Amino acid sequence: MIISNVWIVTSKNNSLHNIYKVLIDKKGRENIQKLISENIEASLKINDDLMERSPKSLIDGDAYYFKRDRDDLEEVRKLGFEEFYTKIIENYQSLLNSEVLTFKKKLQEYDSISEKPRFYIFEIKRDDQWLFAYAKIDSRALIRRRMLLEWNATLNSSSAVIDITEGVPLPDNVTALFEVQTDKLYVYDPFVFEKMLFIHETAKLKANENIHKFIQGEFTIGEEGYKVLGLDHSSVIKRIMQSARSINRIAKYNISESLESVRIIEEIMTLLPEERDKLHFNHVENTITVNEENYRTFVAVIHDSIVKRLISGEVQII
């Protein structure tokens, strides 16, 4: 296995910003290869056992593979992968020929304060395989003792050339891998992969927006329009934001698609074995109270999953 090239993708203001080619000598490349080759080999061994991407992959966080339909660009857009494919996977020649590429309209000077290393790209030649490995950079590792890759962020546009040397932690794990010959993308940690591309952060922003709409009464529950109380408590918000499943479900909430009767929802509560999981109804004030223990039930209700399971006879919170 030979690592031919290395790039670092940076981010700024919660979005991908620039791609820098890491200029390293032969010895440096050999050191990097020695450090991460075992990790890459371990990732390759499980590829044949991975299932194709499905909603379950994202809910459970299971590793998966994705093979795009080149005639269906809308699929890639819906997944939030459009920028990843167009700017990174399909932009290989530009990556090779440029020292730095930008995700923005105009290349700007490197900002060492707000522009941060986001993930690595490793070009790999292995027997007859041509691969690209992607590994999210753990910024917290900068304060720990570990191997760092010294790199230079250089701009050679019309602006003045600048050099910034920083220590960037080498990865413990490969987040995803693209196999050129098969056009397959293997994702080993879906949550980290989406976070790496700021897809998860986008969901967080949308979830916060929708929670605020519940707090303000713009979003309600059931066809009777019951208001939701308790979502303005920091302990409840914290629990919701610790769950990728809850974030994604709230982010995707559409009030027009969730108009089940409050009577049906309350009936479901009687079927839940644990009292702490039940939502609290006030039929005088037309409110439903959510707390840090029953928040998963609230998420299941607005997602309609708990209602569907009542119909199927399998009432449980997922």
Side-chain angles (χ1 to χ4, degrees):
M1 185 182 76
I2 299 173
I3 294 178
S4 304
N5 286 291
V6 180
W7 295 268
I8 287 177
V9 181
T10 64
S11 63
K12 186 177 181 180
N13 298 328
N14 288 330
S15 63
L16 299 182
H17 194 65
N18 290 331
I19 307 173
Y20 296 95
K21 188 174 183 180
V22 181
L23 304 177
I24 49 179
D25 57 20
K26 182 179 178 181
K27 183 178 179 181
R29 186 177 289 106
E30 289 174 351
N31 288 338
I32 294 172
Q33 187 166 311
K34 183 178 179 181
L35 282 166
I36 69 170
S37 60
E38 184 177 341
N39 183 276
I40 292 173
E41 291 291 349
S43 299
L44 287 168
K45 285 180 181 178
I46 69 169
N47 282 357
D48 290 339
D49 297 326
L50 298 187
M51 301 294 288
E52 192 169 4
R53 186 186 187 278
S54 69
K56 187 177 184 297
S57 306
L58 303 183
I59 292 173
D60 296 338
D62 295 335
Y64 65 83
Y65 77 86
F66 171 70
K67 185 175 173 65
R68 60 182 165 168
D69 180 351
R70 289 181 176 269
D71 295 325
D72 185 7
L73 298 178
E74 187 60 30
E75 179 187 21
V76 176
R77 292 192 188 100
K78 284 181 179 179
L79 296 178
F81 292 174
E82 182 178 13
E83 191 173 54
F84 179 68
Y85 271 93
T86 57
K87 294 283 189 175
I88 296 177
I89 288 182
E90 295 176 350
N91 209 21
Y92 171 69
Q93 200 58 49
S94 295
L95 287 175
L96 270 184
N97 298 335
S98 304
E99 289 185 2
V100 57
L101 296 174
T102 184
F103 284 81
K104 307 302 176 182
K105 290 183 179 179
K106 184 179 179 181
L107 194 62
Q108 299 176 340
E109 287 190 359
Y110 178 79
D111 185 346
S112 61
I113 296 176
S114 59
E115 186 176 354
K116 302 299 181 184
R118 188 68 177 178
F119 64 91
Y120 280 106
I121 306 173
F122 299 101
E123 181 194 15
I124 300 163
K125 301 292 179 62
R126 179 180 179 271
D127 298 328
D128 59 345
Q129 287 181 298
W130 185 17
L131 310 162
F132 288 91
Y134 312 96
K136 187 177 183 305
I137 294 169
D138 183 2
S139 59
R140 294 171 301 177
L142 288 170
I143 62 172
R144 299 202 303 260
R145 265 189 171 179
R146 56 183 298 166
M147 180 64 69
L148 301 179
L149 172 64
E150 297 297 327
W151 70 302
N152 289 322
T154 304
L155 296 187
N156 57 357
S157 63
S158 56
S159 61
V161 174
I162 60 170
D163 292 303
I164 304 292
T165 300
E166 294 185 356
V168 183
L170 284 164
D172 289 325
N173 297 294
V174 173
T175 307
L177 188 144
F178 181 74
E179 189 174 46
V180 177
Q181 286 90 336
T182 63
D183 202 26
K184 282 186 177 180
L185 175 67
Y186 297 92
V187 179
Y188 304 109
D189 192 326
F191 295 151
V192 172
F193 181 69
E194 294 205 354
K195 187 174 183 180
M196 181 181 91
L197 300 178
F198 287 101
I199 299 172
H200 192 60
E201 270 75 357
T202 301
K204 276 187 177 180
L205 291 173
K206 184 62 178 177
N208 271 312
E209 179 186 329
N210 286 350
I211 287 172
H212 185 71
K213 288 182 178 179
F214 275 110
I215 293 172
Q216 295 300 312
E218 184 178 342
F219 282 175
T220 57
I221 295 293
E223 62 182 2
E224 298 87 351
Y226 275 41
K227 291 186 177 181
V228 180
L229 305 179
L231 288 177
D232 54 343
H233 293 170
S234 59
S235 59
V236 179
I237 295 291
K238 182 179 179 181
R239 294 298 295 273
I240 289 174
M241 289 302 166
Q242 287 175 337
S243 167
R245 180 188 302 159
S246 296
I247 290 170
N248 289 329
R249 287 180 170 179
I250 294 176
K252 295 175 181 176
Y253 177 70
N254 186 332
I255 191 170
S256 65
E257 298 173 355
S258 183
L259 291 176
E260 193 60 68
S261 168
V262 168
R263 179 185 60 79
I264 296 295
I265 298 171
E266 190 172 23
E267 181 182 345
I268 294 170
M269 298 304 110
T270 66
L271 301 176
L272 296 177
E274 297 291 339
E275 189 66 27
R276 65 185 180 185
D277 291 334
K278 298 177 181 179
L279 299 174
H280 306 296
F281 296 79
N282 184 324
H283 298 298
V284 176
E285 299 182 0
N286 287 1
T287 61
I288 296 175
T289 301
V290 178
N291 56 45
E292 58 186 278
E293 291 187 329
N294 66 17
Y295 77 94
R296 289 192 306 149
T297 305
F298 163 72
V299 173
V301 165
I302 67 170
H303 182 255
D304 272 352
S305 61
I306 202 167
V307 177
K308 292 171 184 174
R309 284 178 174 266
L310 169 66
I311 296 171
S312 67
E314 297 178 12
V315 178
Q316 56 180 314
I317 305 169
I318 61 168

